Amino acid sequence: RAVAAGSRLHEGGLAELRAAGGRLVAIEDARAAVAAADLVIDGLTGIGGTGALREPHASLARAASEAAGTVVACDVPSGVDASSGRVEGAAVRADVTVAFGTLKPGLLVDPGASYCGVVELVDIGLGPYLGDPDVVASTAEDVRPPLPGPESDKYRRGVVGVLAGSTEFTGAAVLAVGGAVHGGAGMVRFASVPHAVELVRQRWPEAVTTVVEPGGKALEKIGRVQAWVVGPGLGTGQDAEDLLGAVLSTELPVLVDADGLTVLARRRDLLARDAPTLLTPHAGELARLLGGDRAEIEARRLEWVRRAAAELGATVLLKGSTTVIAEPDRPVRVNPTGTPWLATAGTGDVLSGLTGALLAGGMSALDAAAAGAYLHGLAARLAAGGPFPDAGEAPVGAFDVITALPAAFRTLP
């Protein structure tokens, strides 16, 4: 047992250390001992630690992260903010984190989550003394998509309207409609410019398509829907703004993604509505919406998603290495599924269509966002893993995620 010289150890603590056979060592010797150890137990700081680690803790954290032995963190890796997942300097990269009593938010949200390794929760009897959580990780039991019953028909199951694609960007329309078709909608109504409509007709003949011209009366040609998805590949000019304004003037739930979010960044007044609004930005899009910095948003995901929900008066699904979902005055939902292979063009369009179908089926914006993110991430894992569980993951494209959605639904209890 040893404590690096320079650590803050009060006189009583020093006596206890010596009584237990411990000793003070130079920081260089401490680093060498960590490097040579088969097992490193990290307890440099506890769950109350905030901000960057000071010396000698920072040096020891770096040494532990580079150690060849197994690193086990107690409750939270030192250097990770337990309440938010922020990492503001050196931090221990653990192989295993043993959480006592309850999972802390910093174990669930990047960047902190990426330092934790495998997280093991140990029950120490705190349950009766804990208040309601303000951050919740979704489980399979929480995902309750609408299910058809004996009396169901395509209208009762939910009709989702998708406004996506443009002359320049057609792929986003095909992918968004595919996500909606496999998301459980009874009917998908798709409207766009002629070329995008033709491509969707060819790939998804079950979708009801309409060619529309931009403007406030365009929606009248489409027919009745129960929720809207607007934005993927739509463009950001005046035509797109007119369509977005028309959709947001309705009393139906609306999911806004991609180009629709870029339009909202200059027309936030369009968000002044009473009906549910779900925004699905990545960090760059949220930075434009709120006038923030992308890197800062990625470093403080919980803080920024809460701010976005409060400031914009909407449900906000912030995509990224950890997808987090916030709604004013509700606990933040954290999505545990997904794979780094999802970081490829078009997967966000699939998520939009899938989540829009859940909205049309009657789910609340918060529940639809959480369920959509969970199923989307699980489908990506299934597609990347393939039929051989021990073979590792392979690259996937957005269309692979659509194809794997039925298998993802089948895993639900």
Side-chain angles (χ1 to χ4, degrees):
R1 299 179 181 181
V3 173
S7 297
R8 296 186 176 183
L9 194 64
H10 58 74
E11 190 170 328
L14 182 57
E16 292 175 4
L17 175 69
R18 287 172 173 159
R23 58 192 171 87
L24 288 173
V25 299
I27 185 65
E28 293 80 7
D29 294 333
R31 285 198 296 260
V34 169
D38 295 320
L39 174 65
V40 178
I41 298 178
D42 165 36
L44 289 172
T45 61
I47 60 175
T50 59
L53 292 176
R54 296 184 290 271
E55 293 294 350
H57 296 78
S59 292
L60 290 171
R62 284 189 286 267
S65 299
E66 297 167 0
T70 300
V71 180
V72 178
C74 298
D75 233 358
V76 64
S78 297
V80 173
D81 188 307
S83 66
S84 67
R86 294 195 304 269
V87 178
E88 299 183 14
V92 172
R93 286 194 177 274
D95 298 298
V96 178
T97 297
V98 180
F100 303 118
T102 186
L103 296 177
K104 287 71 180 175
L107 307 181
L108 304 173
V109 181
D110 279 337
S114 65
Y115 286 76
C116 295
V118 176
V119 177
E120 296 286 350
L121 176 62
V122 177
D123 185 1
I124 58 174
L126 291 181
Y129 307 99
L130 296 173
D132 294 333
D134 60 0
V135 177
V136 178
S138 299
T139 66
E141 289 74 18
D142 299 321
V143 179
R144 303 286 184 183
L147 298 177
E151 301 300 318
S152 293
D153 58 36
K154 59 189 176 185
Y155 299 104
R156 289 174 181 169
R157 287 185 58 190
V159 181
V160 59
V162 179
L163 294 173
S166 58
T167 302
E168 295 81 9
F169 306 107
T170 54
V174 175
L175 294 170
V177 171
V181 167
H182 283 285
M187 181 188 294
V188 181
R189 294 187 185 273
F190 173 71
S192 189
V193 297
H195 187 45
V197 165
E198 183 57 33
L199 292 177
V200 167
R201 281 175 180 162
Q202 292 174 10
R203 186 60 193 85
W204 304 111
E206 55 267 78
V208 178
T209 58
T210 306
V211 175
V212 298
E213 297 298 330
K217 296 184 179 180
L219 304 190
E220 297 176 4
K221 297 178 60 178
I222 297 171
R224 180 174 175 269
V225 305
Q226 284 137 298
W228 288 103
V229 173
V230 58
L234 194 66
T236 59
Q238 188 60 50
D239 292 345
E241 184 176 315
D242 291 342
L243 280 173
L244 179 61
V247 169
L248 289 173
S249 68
T250 71
E251 298 181 356
L252 296 172
V254 176
L255 184 153
V256 185
D257 185 35
D259 286 342
L261 296 169
T262 300
V263 173
L264 280 182
R266 67 173 185 262
R267 288 294 312 276
R268 278 180 44 175
D269 58 293
L270 295 176
L271 287 171
R273 61 196 306 263
D274 295 325
T277 308
L278 172 57
L279 311 179
T280 58
H282 55 58
E285 290 163 338
L286 190 62
R288 290 194 289 273
L289 277 167
L290 299 182
D293 175 75
R294 178 173 187 152
E296 175 72 7
I297 290 172
E298 291 176 338
R300 299 171 178 258
R301 303 183 67 81
L302 280 177
E303 178 182 326
W304 280 90
V305 76
R306 285 184 173 121
R307 173 182 165 183
E311 189 172 319
L312 302 174
T315 306
V316 180
L317 183 155
L318 176 57
K319 296 180 286 195
S321 58
T322 305
T323 293
V324 288
I325 306 153
E327 194 171 84
D329 303 318
R330 297 289 298 276
V332 172
R333 305 275 187 97
V334 177
N335 182 54
T337 65
T339 165
W341 292 116
L342 265 176
T344 187
T347 55
D349 305 320
V350 176
L351 175 62
S352 295
L354 164 63
T355 307
L358 298 173
L359 274 176
M363 297 186 80
S364 70
L366 184 62
D367 288 341
Y374 187 97
L375 290 163
H376 182 257
L378 185 55
R381 283 186 185 175
L382 293 171
F388 307 108
D390 298 327
E393 292 190 342
V396 296
F399 210 88
D400 298 313
V401 178
I402 296 175
T403 304
L405 279 173
F409 274 86
R410 284 193 290 269
T411 67
L412 299 178

